[in-house]
Amino acid sequence: MPSPPAAAPSQDVKRRAAREVIDILFEIATLLNTRLDRQQLSYCVSLIENGANPEALARAILQLREEYAPESGEEAEDASSGAAR
């Protein structure tokens, strides 16, 4: 039985590389204070890789955050509970 060509990386190697890319992008996103978690960032990367306009995606995220922003009382409560984690 012939073995697969050495040039074709295995699924595990591809998965590891993708995870490493997301980890690096997450560090950058954290430094830029984007407030995106790893899963949200992964969705954004996937959308962009599949042809979504990055600027339009950023505008959509900002608009959604404005529309669904927590009220000022909830925001203060969330911030204090986040510090306890």
Side-chain angles (χ1 to χ4, degrees):
M1 180 186 223
S3 62
S10 70
Q11 289 290 63
D12 190 43
V13 171
K14 287 181 183 178
R15 230 178 263 121
R16 233 180 283 128
R19 190 174 299 125
E20 186 175 329
V21 168
I22 292 298
D23 288 344
I24 291 167
L25 289 174
F26 180 70
E27 288 180 31
I28 293 169
T30 301
L31 290 172
L32 294 173
N33 197 27
T34 63
R35 297 180 308 170
L36 293 173
D37 64 27
R38 288 179 195 272
Q39 186 174 15
Q40 293 166 337
L41 185 62
S42 181
Y43 288 146
C44 289
V45 169
S46 180
L47 286 167
I48 292 166
E49 285 177 342
N50 286 299
N53 180 325
E55 291 179 14
L57 181 58
R59 281 192 302 270
I61 290 169
L62 290 174
Q63 184 179 4
L64 288 169
R65 283 184 177 166
E66 287 175 7
E67 289 180 20
Y68 296 98
E71 294 184 25
S72 59
E74 291 177 25
E75 189 173 306
E77 188 178 304
D78 289 345
S80 64
S81 66
R85 284 190 230 178

